Amino acid sequence: MSDKEYMSSIAKRNLVWLGAGNVEGIDVDLQGFSNCYLVEANQDVCQVLQQRYSNVSNIHVLNSLIDDSSEMVPFNIANLNALSSSSKCKDVKRHYPGYRVVNAENLKPSTLSDLLTSVMLEQDNNMLIIDLYAGVGGILKQLFSSDFAKTFGNVAILGAEVRYFEDSLLPDEITRLMQANSYIPTQQTAMAEGVQYQHYLLNPLVKELECTKNTASVLESELSSARQKLLLEEQQSTRFAAEIEAYSNLAESLENQVNHAEQRNQELLKELDRINQDNESILLELAQTRSEYEEAKASSASQLKEIEELRESIDSKKLTLDSLEAKSASDDKALSELTTRLANVEGELDENKQKNASLLDEKLKIEEAFKEKEKWLSEHEKWNASLQQELEKLKADLITANEDVDIQKQKVEVLLTKEQALQEQTFRNDKLTLELEKFDAQLQMLARFVKV
């Protein structure tokens, strides 16, 4: 399967091509992407690209030099666009004797994060092509230190076995750097004029591992929230228990007051009975006195004829009668006082009965509130038990998630070990072939320079 068929099969969303140049070398279908961003530092080359793709809506040409410097950067334009660079050359002339700088410019650089922020990238499944001989290490470090590191599922990097520039990286160094950041080298390569593009795919287990870590983080957050909620519920339960105890003490105090009022009522009733008995005794004595008075009066009437004879007796009887009348008046006064006192006692008894009724109503209300609190406390205890079960379940889920993370880590390590061994064996098998192809390509390049 060719590189073109392979790139079409994985259906990438967006393409960012750093050092696009003349858009050649690597076999990639630009129409297979939603958007293609061709980034080139050479302004003249950018103008050619803009004219070429002026009628293509998904291709965007960006004139920018990628560097982490905040100052102006010198950019050397070579007679071969692929060898234009902001770095100092090292072995370029030894391998390309016709190499020369035709122009030098000072450009204001942009960081990789600024560039990627200015373009419209999807969340993932994007492709990045680094078509540069120099500065690859700095660009990769900017990529892996930014938030865009995991948005590129496929990365293709131009490689060379020779350090043409001082800050260039060898293919093995690039591979180690990519593998250290969860990218796996693939066998899809493209040859153009003696140079190789190595493809790297983002390890699919990385997303699964991140998802597992996120799940574990969510579970830990939920566990912490449940613990805080349980703590608040325990504090609320303690407060409610204190309130219930206070209501119990108040109910006991009110009950004591009711008992005291009942005792006082019994004492008043006993005193009322005693007063009634005294009153009845006085009334009996008064009736007896009146009866004696009537008898005496009848006796005096029957003995009118003997008035003269019994004058002394009558005088004495009159005295007795006066004393009896005085006693009767005194008894009437005492009876009136007793009646007034009885009315006062009955009024006080009525007030006590009203107070007792009010206290009984308040006692009933407190008992109902107490029953409501007991019912709420019972439901709250059931809720606490349910929360405790949920907490235990969350703990078990967290333990399971941690175990899954450990298993996934072990699988990733085994897979990386196997892939590294396979790549080393493939590299040893293909090394001689690549060296021969490189030699032929260099001869072709030298022939081109001679013609120029």
Coordinates of all heavy atoms in Angstrom, one line a residue, residues 46 65 83 113 167 201 216 231 292 294 311 316 319 332 338 375 390 422 425:
C46 N 6.1 31.4 -0.7 CA 4.7 31.5 -0.3 C 3.8 32.2 -1.4 O 2.7 31.8 -1.6 CB 4.6 32.4 1.0 SG 5.2 31.5 2.5
L65 N 8.0 31.9 10.2 CA 9.2 31.2 10.7 C 8.9 30.7 12.1 O 8.6 31.5 13.0 CB 10.4 32.1 10.6 CG 11.7 31.5 11.2 CD1 12.2 30.3 10.4 CD2 12.8 32.6 11.2
L83 N 17.2 23.6 1.4 CA 18.3 23.9 2.3 C 18.3 25.3 2.9 O 19.3 25.7 3.5 CB 19.6 23.6 1.6 CG 19.9 22.2 1.1 CD1 21.1 22.0 0.3 CD2 19.9 21.2 2.3
S113 N 3.0 27.2 19.3 CA 1.7 27.3 19.9 C 0.9 28.5 19.3 O -0.3 28.3 19.1 CB 1.9 27.6 21.4 OG 2.5 26.5 22.1
D167 N 22.0 22.5 14.5 CA 21.0 22.0 15.4 C 20.1 20.9 14.8 O 18.9 20.8 15.2 CB 20.1 23.2 15.9 CG 19.4 23.9 14.7 OD1 19.8 23.6 13.5 OD2 18.5 24.7 14.9
L201 N 2.9 7.3 14.6 CA 1.5 7.3 15.0 C 1.4 7.5 16.5 O 2.2 6.9 17.2 CB 0.8 6.0 14.5 CG 0.6 5.8 13.0 CD1 0.0 4.5 12.8 CD2 -0.2 6.9 12.4
A216 N -10.3 7.6 37.1 CA -9.9 7.5 38.4 C -9.9 8.9 39.2 O -10.3 8.9 40.3 CB -8.5 7.0 38.5
L231 N -19.6 13.8 56.1 CA -19.2 14.5 57.3 C -20.3 15.6 57.7 O -20.6 15.8 58.9 CB -17.9 15.2 57.0 CG -17.3 16.0 58.2 CD1 -17.1 15.2 59.4 CD2 -16.0 16.7 57.8
E292 N -84.8 27.0 117.3 CA -85.0 27.4 118.7 C -85.7 28.7 118.9 O -86.6 28.8 119.8 CB -83.6 27.4 119.4 CG -82.9 26.1 119.5 CD -81.5 26.2 120.2 OE1 -81.1 27.4 120.4 OE2 -80.9 25.2 120.4
E294 N -87.9 30.0 116.8 CA -89.3 29.7 116.5 C -90.0 29.0 117.7 O -91.2 29.4 118.0 CB -89.4 28.9 115.2 CG -89.0 29.6 114.0 CD -89.9 30.8 113.6 OE1 -91.1 30.8 114.0 OE2 -89.4 31.7 113.0
R311 N -92.4 37.7 133.5 CA -91.7 38.8 132.9 C -90.2 38.6 133.0 O -89.5 38.9 132.1 CB -92.2 40.1 133.6 CG -91.6 41.3 132.9 CD -92.2 42.5 133.6 NE -93.6 42.7 133.4 CZ -94.1 43.2 132.3 NH1 -93.3 43.7 131.4 NH2 -95.4 43.3 132.2
S316 N -85.3 37.5 130.4 CA -84.1 36.7 130.2 C -84.1 36.0 128.8 O -83.1 35.9 128.1 CB -84.0 35.6 131.3 OG -85.1 34.7 131.2
L319 N -83.1 38.6 126.3 CA -81.7 38.7 126.3 C -81.1 37.5 125.4 O -80.2 37.7 124.6 CB -81.1 38.7 127.7 CG -81.4 40.0 128.5 CD1 -80.9 39.8 130.0 CD2 -80.8 41.2 127.9
D332 N -74.6 35.1 109.6 CA -74.9 35.5 108.2 C -73.7 36.2 107.6 O -73.3 36.0 106.4 CB -76.0 36.5 108.2 CG -77.4 35.8 108.5 OD1 -77.4 34.6 108.3 OD2 -78.3 36.5 109.0
L338 N -67.7 33.4 103.6 CA -67.4 32.1 103.1 C -67.9 32.0 101.6 O -67.2 31.3 100.8 CB -68.1 31.0 104.0 CG -67.5 30.8 105.3 CD1 -68.3 29.8 106.2 CD2 -66.0 30.3 105.2
K375 N -39.0 10.4 63.7 CA -39.2 9.9 62.3 C -38.2 10.4 61.4 O -37.6 9.6 60.6 CB -40.6 10.3 61.8 CG -41.0 9.8 60.5 CD -42.4 10.2 60.1 CE -42.7 9.7 58.7 NZ -44.1 10.1 58.3
E390 N -22.9 3.6 49.3 CA -22.4 4.2 48.0 C -20.9 4.5 48.1 O -20.2 4.4 47.2 CB -23.2 5.5 47.7 CG -22.9 6.1 46.4 CD -23.7 7.3 46.2 OE1 -24.7 7.6 47.0 OE2 -23.5 8.0 45.1
L422 N 11.3 -5.2 17.3 CA 10.9 -5.4 15.8 C 11.5 -4.3 15.0 O 12.1 -4.5 13.9 CB 9.4 -5.4 15.7 CG 8.9 -5.6 14.3 CD1 9.4 -6.9 13.7 CD2 7.4 -5.6 14.2
Q425 N 15.3 -4.8 14.6 CA 15.6 -5.9 13.6 C 15.3 -5.4 12.2 O 16.1 -5.6 11.3 CB 14.7 -7.1 13.9 CG 15.0 -8.3 13.0 CD 16.4 -8.8 13.2 OE1 16.9 -8.8 14.3 NE2 17.0 -9.3 12.1

